[in-house]
Amino acid sequence: MNQANIETKSGTEPAVIVLEGVSFGYDPEHPILHDINVSIPQGQWLSIVGPNGCGKSTLVKLLNALLPKSAGLISVCGHTLQEETIQSIRQCIGMVFQNPDNQFIGQTVEEDILFGLEGLCLPYEEMKERLDYYTGKLGIDHLLSKHPGELSGGQKQRVAIASILAMKPGIVIFDEASSMLDEGSRDELMGILRDMQAEGSYTILLITHDADEILASDRVLALHGGSIAADVSPAELFRDAELLERCHLREPYTWRLARELQSRGITVDVPASEKELIDTLWPYNYSK
Amino acid sequence: MAIQLQQVSYTYADRSMWRQTALHGINLNIAKGSLTGIAGATGSGKSTLLQLFNGILKPTEGTVQVLDVTITAGEKSPKLLPLRRRVGLVFQFPEQQMFEDTVEKDICFGPLNFGFTLEEAKERARKAMTDMGLDLALLERNPFRLSGGQMRKAAIASVLAMDPDIVVLDEPTATLDPVSRAELIALLERLCREQGRTIIIVTHRMDELLPYADSWALLKGGELAFQGSGQELAADPAILERCGLTIPQSLRYWQAVSTRFGLGTEKPLLTAEALAERIAAVLEERKNAAGTEEMGSGHE
């Protein structure tokens, strides 16, 4: 990656992803994405949200030229997207797809994870170390010798995530990669992403409908009908009932509960835990 | 009973080096016309269990009885066509069941195979699309040119178009946006309550199904760890943790509130709206009780 070329667009961090006037459509009459302008600084955690079919997956596929843009300018890690730079751009993006079956290559879980690492020409010890680390983190170290066909949907999703994270790409893109995970595993995954972000070397793009995942991110890009409907913080999103409605989203349970209580004249903040709610309600009960 | 499993085990690749037992000695009853949720950690056997319900998988041990068809391990199985018509299965990944070159052909495939005329099949396709909130213009689209969420809705529509008595769905709401999710659950509940269909849903988002499900089955390591009503589950949510699952927020908050205000015997309120309403009522009652002692004070 050529650091000198990275454009500084906004904020204090240099932008790793810049889209200017980007459009895409199979048919020019009916664009799927229309005039998208966005700049994503290095190290940011961005959630991409919006109703089914609004162009979320299409947007991220344009970034590494899995789909060819129809118009506009895309720049990733300082490379302006064109035929000659596709290879370099793909090397800095790791993408986990919606359906893990779309990205299995190996005959076993171990082979599958090592495939990407071999492509990076890492020394054996380094590969082994990363394999152990990420399979351990995702709780799949007991599945290394399994064929992907023997795995459940959720296990496949974990393998796909491990194989991408092990390559340590500068930009990690998850296309609803946690949709088949249970709540506990999803929390663990959020923890892994939070640790990665704390290291400062990762930019994270998450396509999601999950309120808690959105809440964990720095910034939310809401798409609607192929355009950017809002570019806000998670708190701004969850306070804006009209925007939530338009983007087919729901606020987290605790936010909803607080709002429902407020609308009934009970002043409470969004509780961090059930204990906090009870503590807030208890004195209320006597002081009024 | 719509579905009855007796001592059912299932082993993948039985009689090979790679044999792997996914289900052990399951005894399960699912009542006709009920809405049942199935939960369990990843790899606990949920998807395997569902595939026993319409004979895609046959038990390695035990007996599976679905409607009037009985499949017993080791015996020659009866004709499964009538069963397949009456039990609709929506897979975990919609790509696994779509194959035609337009959405319309895909949805019509089932009804046509079960003897409906092309006109009837097309009519059913349109109705199922509308029920799923999909634009009829998408009927002409190639299913693989749909977004992930649209494809999932189309896959569900293709099963609903067969008008099955039992609808079995494997994580139908994954990759759907929250509004579509709520609409799908509401549609399935209507099919259950108004038309008496049996609905079985595997889910990782227990929160969204808890207010509606009549009964729950929890799997742990291929064994049935719990079967009972949502109320029983609410009374002992620790069972979820023993199954490696996180207790859903709605259940945690209900438990905390009901313990604090002594509502333990009431039917659990598992939506934010219902819980807020109940809290407001409790506070009001207490305010009034306090107000009768101290007239006028406590009034804002």
Side-chain angles (χ1 to χ4, degrees):
Chain A
M1 188 199 310
N2 186 347
Q3 290 290 336
N5 275 349
I6 291 181
E7 296 168 62
T8 310
K9 279 266 162 180
S10 65
T12 49
E13 296 295 331
V16 292
I17 299 175
V18 180
L19 275 74
E20 278 172 15
V22 171
S23 296
F24 173 80
Y26 297 104
D27 157 15
E29 296 284 298
H30 302 99
I32 290 172
L33 286 172
H34 176 66
D35 193 23
I36 302 288
N37 291 289
V38 66
S39 163
I40 303 165
Q42 145 77 30
Q44 192 168 57
W45 178 342
L46 176 80
S47 289
I48 302 176
V49 305
N52 291 132
C54 72
K56 303 182 294 294
S57 303
T58 305
L59 179 66
V60 296
K61 284 180 186 158
L62 293 180
L63 294 179
N64 62 353
L66 286 178
L67 290 172
K69 64 184 163 58
S70 314
L73 183 120
I74 295 175
S75 156
V76 179
C77 297
H79 305 286
T80 302
L81 178 62
Q82 51 199 343
E83 190 112 18
E84 306 80 59
T85 57
I86 287 180
Q87 190 63 20
S88 327
I89 287 181
R90 287 192 180 159
Q91 278 173 4
C92 35
I93 298 183
M95 199 182 282
V96 186
F97 295 105
Q98 245 174 51
N99 182 343
D101 286 333
N102 291 347
Q103 61 194 92
F104 277 120
I105 296 164
Q107 287 298 307
T108 63
V109 168
E110 181 171 12
E111 252 181 54
D112 197 76
I113 296 174
L114 290 178
F115 179 83
L117 300 181
E118 282 166 0
L120 297 178
C121 305
L122 294 173
Y124 177 77
E125 294 72 32
E126 173 77 20
M127 288 204 274
K128 180 84 181 91
E129 203 174 294
R130 290 195 194 181
L131 177 76
D132 290 347
Y133 180 77
Y134 286 101
T135 52
K137 270 244 172 192
L138 284 148
I140 48 171
D141 37 1
H142 62 295
L143 302 174
L144 288 179
S145 60
K146 297 266 183 208
H147 184 272
E150 294 175 76
L151 305 180
S152 78
Q155 288 169 337
K156 282 182 193 170
Q157 235 168 12
R158 289 166 197 238
V159 174
I161 293 166
S163 67
I164 293 302
L165 294 187
M167 292 196 282
K168 301 193 177 177
I171 301 169
V172 181
I173 302 179
F174 280 14
D175 191 351
E176 299 194 45
S178 67
S179 58
M180 312 274 161
L181 302 186
D182 56 81
E183 206 180 314
S185 318
R186 230 174 318 143
D187 291 347
E188 282 166 26
L189 180 60
M190 288 303 107
I192 296 174
L193 292 181
R194 223 170 274 132
D195 291 349
M196 286 169 53
Q197 198 198 16
E199 276 180 42
S201 44
Y202 295 100
T203 304
I204 302 169
L205 269 62
L206 224 59
I207 294 183
T208 181
H209 296 298
D210 185 88
D212 293 312
E213 290 182 9
I214 297 172
L215 211 48
S217 58
D218 300 321
R219 173 181 173 192
V220 184
L221 199 65
L223 294 183
H224 188 267
S227 303
I228 295 178
D231 184 350
V232 292
S233 72
E236 284 167 327
L237 170 76
F238 290 128
R239 274 198 294 265
D240 188 340
E242 192 270 334
L243 182 62
L244 284 175
E245 177 71 37
R246 202 146 41 99
C247 295
H248 277 200
L249 289 172
R250 292 278 158 87
E251 68 263 69
Y253 179 84
T254 48
W255 285 62
R256 187 166 192 116
L257 186 59
R259 190 164 57 79
E260 293 287 343
L261 286 168
Q262 285 157 11
S263 75
R264 289 168 175 82
I266 301 164
T267 35
V268 290
D269 288 333
V270 174
S273 69
E274 53 273 32
K275 184 176 175 304
E276 196 180 300
L277 175 75
I278 298 296
D279 290 347
T280 323
L281 290 177
W282 199 244
Y284 194 93
N285 178 16
Y286 286 111
S287 65
K288 293 290 156 74
Chain B
M1 284 295 151
I3 296 176
Q4 217 165 2
L5 268 61
Q6 282 167 4
Q7 287 300 326
V8 169
S9 298
Y10 185 80
T11 302
Y12 282 99
D14 201 14
R15 283 180 272 178
S16 85
M17 275 172 68
W18 297 278
R19 72 196 303 274
Q20 185 185 11
T21 304
L23 295 173
H24 305 269
I26 305 265
N27 289 303
L28 176 72
N29 293 314
I30 294 175
K32 239 178 213 162
S34 69
L35 205 167
T36 302
I38 298 180
T42 45
S44 61
K46 303 184 294 295
S47 302
T48 305
L49 181 66
L50 291 195
Q51 292 175 54
L52 288 167
F53 294 165
N54 74 347
I56 288 188
L57 299 179
K58 290 169 197 158
T60 341
E61 281 170 45
T63 303
V64 175
Q65 187 169 2
V66 182
L67 300 168
D68 48 9
V69 178
T70 306
I71 307 171
T72 304
E75 288 178 18
K76 190 173 180 306
S77 71
K79 276 207 174 355
L80 293 174
L81 185 69
L83 186 62
R84 299 256 160 89
R85 178 185 311 196
R86 296 176 65 192
V87 183
L89 180 58
V90 180
F91 293 111
Q92 197 169 11
F93 298 101
E95 291 92 333
Q96 288 169 348
Q97 65 191 85
M98 311 215 55
F99 57 94
E100 285 281 10
D101 57 8
T102 70
V103 172
E104 184 170 43
K105 280 192 206 165
D106 212 295
I107 300 181
C108 289
F109 181 84
L112 285 176
N113 257 324
F114 293 143
F116 291 96
T117 67
L118 185 62
E119 264 321 295
E120 284 168 333
K122 284 188 167 181
E123 181 50 41
R124 279 166 173 252
R126 280 192 292 274
K127 173 152 190 327
M129 289 284 280
T130 313
D131 282 345
M132 289 308 303
L134 286 170
D135 190 341
L136 291 182
L138 296 178
L139 281 170
E140 299 309 316
R141 191 82 76 82
N142 182 309
F144 298 96
R145 277 281 167 93
L146 298 176
S147 83
Q150 287 168 336
M151 207 191 292
R152 184 173 295 276
K153 290 183 188 178
I156 298 170
S158 71
V159 168
L160 295 183
M162 289 188 268
D163 210 12
D165 296 330
I166 301 178
V167 190
V168 183
L169 306 103
D170 197 352
E171 300 202 35
T173 63
T175 71
L176 290 191
D177 65 56
V179 169
S180 306
R181 249 182 244 163
E183 285 169 0
L184 174 64
I185 300 288
L187 169 71
L188 294 171
E189 207 208 0
R190 275 203 312 280
L191 288 177
C192 177
R193 307 291 173 229
E194 290 168 14
Q195 301 178 18
R197 289 171 212 271
T198 309
I199 311 281
I200 300 162
I201 304 173
V202 163
T203 183
H204 277 308
R205 301 170 206 269
M206 295 184 68
D207 262 328
E208 64 191 12
L209 198 57
L210 269 167
Y212 310 105
D214 300 311
S215 70
W216 284 91
L218 303 182
L219 290 175
K220 185 191 181 193
E223 289 176 33
L224 189 68
F226 170 89
Q227 188 183 12
S229 67
Q231 195 154 357
E232 286 169 73
L233 200 58
D236 182 21
I239 178 82
L240 287 167
E241 286 181 326
R242 290 200 289 278
C243 293
L245 295 169
T246 308
I247 301 175
Q249 277 187 324
S250 58
L251 214 50
R252 286 211 315 261
Y253 277 81
W254 162 254
Q255 212 189 12
V257 169
S258 71
T259 308
R260 198 50 145 161
F261 295 113
L263 313 175
T265 53
E266 295 181 16
K267 187 173 182 295
L269 300 169
L270 300 172
T271 62
E273 292 83 340
L275 186 60
E277 186 67 46
R278 191 71 189 92
I279 291 173
V282 168
L283 294 183
E284 186 68 19
E285 274 167 37
R286 305 220 166 168
K287 193 167 81 179
N288 289 340
T292 42
E293 287 165 28
E294 220 180 307
M295 287 290 282
S297 73
H299 196 77
E300 270 191 335

